[in-house]
Amino acid sequence: MSRYTDMFARLDAAGEGAFVPFIMLNDPSPEDSFQIISTAIEAGADALELGVPFSDPVADGPTVAESHLRALDGGSTVDSCLALIARVREAYPEIPIGMLIYGNVPFTRGLDKFYREFAEAGADSILLPDVPVREGAPFIQAAEGAGIDPIFIAPAQASETTLEGVSAASKGYIYAISRDGVTGTERESSTTGLTDVVDNIKRFDGAPILLGFGISSPKHVADAIAAGAAGAITGSAITKIIASHCEGEHPNPSTITDPEGLRKELTEFISAMKAATKKQ
């Protein structure tokens, strides 16, 4: 039984879906990031999706892209991210930890070493947003060899071949996107048609489905659960809250100006998003 299996079983028994916040590691510093992650968990997050900062985040909109830069400006490295994951795992041994990492990182470190390092740090799954399932075989093999669940994206308008491949290859959960494009709340979000998105993926009998991209309000979460998803992932809305409490501009390191205010705003937002996962 994996942490994801345990989580989904517990939530299903309670009549709830999962709320999963995306948080960039080391944004704007390792200590700030740990406090932000702790706040998210204590406010009701069921699992985590953590990002590793990268200089060219092609799948991310401006809000999340800026969080990559803040972390890098503060000196973030892959090694410091691994240390932070290990700290989170030690403090919260039961919570599922998913990673979102661009493909250059495993290429640079070597696939076997890369997956082994993240498994040893305490990660449960890894999603490489710029590696499609049709190119995923070596990553899947290395991930499973290290005990990491490989995760793939199911695009909103994907072909049957792609959805079948994503469903077969993804362990832990399937990341379904609610609309095409990059992450973010920069353009108006819509949750119309989510039932079709979820139903198309469910035909292939894969892992539980988490919906992401443009999920920025409790209504969006409720719509995702009503559409049959097992939960929802929110990134840009949380990243915007963090950014609003940061001072400093690229390429200079940023600092949190009001830690208590940030903690309060994050707690209120995440608590409201989690409350919206209750099934009707």
Side-chain angles (χ1 to χ4, degrees):
M1 295 284 282
S2 73
R3 291 187 181 93
Y4 286 116
T5 302
D6 290 344
M7 176 193 72
F8 287 121
R10 171 179 56 80
L11 292 174
D12 189 56
E16 299 175 4
F19 177 67
V20 183
F22 168 84
I23 298 168
M24 184 63 64
L25 289 170
N26 294 333
D27 175 25
S29 74
E31 185 57 37
D32 289 326
S33 186
F34 180 77
Q35 296 303 325
I36 288 166
I37 292 166
S38 297
T39 297
I41 294 169
E42 290 159 14
D46 295 299
L48 301 170
E49 186 185 56
L50 303 177
V52 170
F54 183 59
S55 58
D56 187 23
V58 294
D60 291 307
T63 298
V64 175
E66 288 170 6
S67 72
H68 286 266
L69 290 178
R70 282 195 301 272
L72 291 171
D73 289 341
S76 179
T77 64
V78 175
D79 287 341
S80 66
C81 288
L82 288 165
L84 183 51
I85 295 163
R87 184 180 176 189
V88 173
R89 172 55 69 218
E90 182 178 11
Y92 302 97
E94 302 304 322
I95 194 161
I97 297 177
M99 304 302 306
L100 191 150
I101 308 173
Y102 281 89
N104 188 64
V105 177
F107 275 122
T108 300
R109 297 179 86 85
L111 295 192
D112 291 338
K113 178 186 177 185
F114 165 78
Y115 283 104
R116 184 178 68 252
E117 288 177 324
F118 278 89
E120 290 172 352
D124 294 289
S125 68
I126 295 179
L127 165 63
L128 306 174
D130 51 348
V131 176
V133 70
R134 67 178 179 272
E135 299 173 6
F139 300 92
I140 295 166
Q141 182 178 0
E144 293 181 342
I148 290 281
D149 286 340
I151 309 294
F152 289 91
I153 291 176
Q157 305 297 326
S159 68
E160 289 208 356
T161 300
T162 296
L163 293 181
E164 185 174 14
V166 166
S167 298
S170 296
K171 312 301 179 188
Y173 71 92
I174 294 169
Y175 192 129
I177 60 175
S178 59
R179 54 160 170 77
D180 292 326
V182 297
T183 63
T185 59
E186 287 78 19
R187 57 193 174 101
E188 185 177 356
S189 298
S190 172
T191 50
T192 58
L194 289 186
T195 299
D196 290 340
V197 171
V198 173
D199 286 347
N200 279 340
I201 301 168
K202 281 187 173 181
R203 289 182 296 134
F204 300 99
D205 197 27
I209 298 164
L210 297 180
L211 273 166
F213 280 47
I215 305 292
S216 59
S217 71
K219 181 182 185 304
H220 292 159
V221 174
D223 288 346
I225 302 302
I233 299 173
T234 295
S236 293
I238 290 171
T239 307
K240 272 189 172 181
I241 293 171
I242 296 167
S244 72
H245 290 269
C246 285
E247 186 176 81
E249 293 185 2
H250 176 69
N252 300 310
S254 297
T255 58
I256 299 291
T257 56
D258 181 11
E260 285 303 316
L262 172 58
R263 188 174 297 112
K264 181 176 184 294
E265 191 171 354
L266 280 175
T267 296
E268 290 175 353
F269 179 78
I270 291 169
S271 297
M273 297 292 268
K274 173 55 192 173
T277 68
K278 294 186 183 300
K279 297 175 183 177
Q280 300 300 316

